[in-house]
Amino acid sequence: SKTMVEKTLKVLRTRRFHVLALPSETQSATLASGSTPTTTSTTTANQSKKQTKEKFGKKDKSTVTNTTKTAQRGGIVVMSEEAAILKYLSTHEVIEDSHPWSESQKLDHKAVVGAVKSLQVDAYVQTEDLSFSYYTLSDEAKTILTNGSQEVLVLKAIEKAEGGSLSMPELQTAVGKNIAKIGMGNCMKQKWIKKDGGNLVSVVSSNDVQDSVQEGLQAVQAASGNVSAVNDTVIAGLKRRKLVSLATRKSLKISKGPNYALTRVKKAADLTKEMLESGAWKTTPFKSYNFLTLGEKVGGGYLHPLLKVRAEFRKILMQMGFQEMPTNKWVESSFWNFDSLFQPQSHPARDAHDTFFIKEPRETISVPEDYYERVKTMHEKGGAGSIGYRYDFQRHEAFKNLLRTHTTAISSQMLYKLATQEGGFQPARYFSIDRVFRNETMDATHLCEFHQVEGLVADYDLSLGDLIGTIETFFKKIGIEKLRFKPAFNPYTEPSMEVFGYHPILKKWTEIGNSGIFRPEMLAPMGLPENVRVIAWGLSLERPTMIKYKIDNIRDLFGHKVEMARTRTAPVCRF
Ligand code: PHE
């Protein structure tokens, strides 16, 4: 059926996709006689044209345009380059040199080379590279050929003058400034003329001197620039006066290839719907696959090493049943970043030395007012078994905007949502991996911004064992097997534990994360049921990435000094 055909075609097209991009095939599609390069992009076509052009005669400005079977040239119908080459080879063993041959056939040499390259791809012909050195004449040399050398012109001008004598200005008017200058110098050197007071007079007659420069140039021209045909000293003299220069011409020796035939059968590059429908595909010759080609480099769309690790962590956390939190905002209020986490307003971390506060807008617009009141009360007076911090809670302090110092600011908003959502609290597992900011002194391992990986589980009656177990599962999945926990302090967790991992290469225990059980002072104002516990942990994304990719300076990983090529060469991350 028609859809079947179209489906098959689609599969085949996909399979052939790379084949169509072969450099050799593109070239043949571009340059081959009688072909319309439908599958070739303009750039590639231009490129191969350009390459041919550069190799075979840069100076010639004409372009390879005539590749059709026959063409109108000056009113007469002539054979295409391809047809001419194949026809010639049917009666001759070889085209010794493509350049004179093209001239004799009145064909453009570059077009011939293009046709040969295309025929070569299908092995209709084979070639040998030829290189021919020859002398070319400068414009000045061409003038000398017709008028004679400057020295002869000067000598003649002096002879012709009244009294056989000319002043320098008179000579200049007679022959022109340039000729006067060069010619006078050379005449003096050859002792053809001499100074007589302020004037120039001749010493010899122009009939007795030889214009060796003009003769030398004539010899070069007669030999068509052939390097070996002209006397070396003559050439040296002409070169010194910059009248000739050596040029090289590249051309080809062409003979029959293994597939030679008088006319070329174009092999199909693509299987078409029509071929399938008519059955022509059974007999059509197809271009063969080139399994040696590397294919085009795929550009764009690379993940930064940091993001590769993030993608891997995200996958692991999703497999563990964690949902991603919406962390797509960097500016937070102090209320969510600190107060909701039961971090006292006088805590040193709130100092501008550690936190970037926002100048404009300086304050947040709103916070949930009833929850705000409960947080304020918790800080001032306590509750849920706590005595609180016993200070005056400042609204303007809570409202101050900042660049979030940790993603726990989002965790706390998510927990507040969980507590207040319709239908009441439901157990949940959340994670986030996103950017945080701290006003730190920058060095090889610290920047003002980094990425935090954070996970939390909210459920009834969770214990420290659950926290340790969850952390162990996570770290095992990212390849860290040996863990140790050390008591620590966070304003919002109790108990709190620093996580240490054993680094098998460094052979030492290093701190890799922080964790804890959120305090009742944090959870109670949100309205979470009394026996709901929330266990959480956090780590930086940079640390494992640097270890994974063996980067020892964080500036090589993040920021404007990062080498862009790295994003292309860094392998996919697997833990
Ligand atoms: N917010 C902590 C930090 O910045 C990490 C953490 C998250 C600690 C959750 C305990 C619980 O390091």
Side-chain angles (χ1 to χ4, degrees), residues 460-477:
Y460 295 98
D461 302 315
L462 291 174
S463 69
L464 195 63
D466 292 305
L467 177 59
I468 292 172
T470 311
I471 290 172
E472 275 176 350
T473 308
F474 172 75
F475 279 101
K476 199 171 173 178
K477 281 179 187 280

Side-chain angles (χ1 to χ4, degrees), residues 413-421 424-428 430 456 458 528:
Q413 285 167 68
M414 291 303 286
L415 287 169
Y416 171 72
K417 265 200 194 144
L418 259 189
T420 52
Q421 73 190 4
F425 168 81
Q426 288 292 324
Y430 289 137
L456 66 88
L528 284 165

Side-chain angles (χ1 to χ4, degrees), residues 341 405-409 411 436 438 450 452-456 467 490 492-493 496-497 511 513-518 535-539:
L341 292 161
T405 63
H406 51 188
T407 44
T408 320
S411 302
V436 300
R438 288 183 196 174
F450 65 99
Q452 230 171 23
V453 185
E454 181 156 328
L456 66 88
L467 177 59
N490 289 312
Y492 39 90
T493 52
S496 310
M497 302 183 298
E511 202 210 311
N514 186 6
S515 69
I517 301 182
F518 284 134
I535 57 177
W537 79 98
L539 63 145

Side-chain angles (χ1 to χ4, degrees), residues 497-517:
M497 302 183 298
E498 274 171 4
V499 186
F500 283 74
Y502 187 73
H503 200 299
I505 295 160
L506 298 179
K507 290 199 176 17
K508 63 174 190 185
W509 292 92
T510 50
E511 202 210 311
I512 47 171
N514 186 6
S515 69
I517 301 182

Side-chain angles (χ1 to χ4, degrees), residues 21 70 112 130 132 151 182 211 259 352 502 529 547 558:
T70 51
V112 167
L130 302 176
F132 175 69
E151 46 272 38
I182 301 169
D211 195 344
N259 294 342
Y502 187 73
I547 294 170
F558 194 84

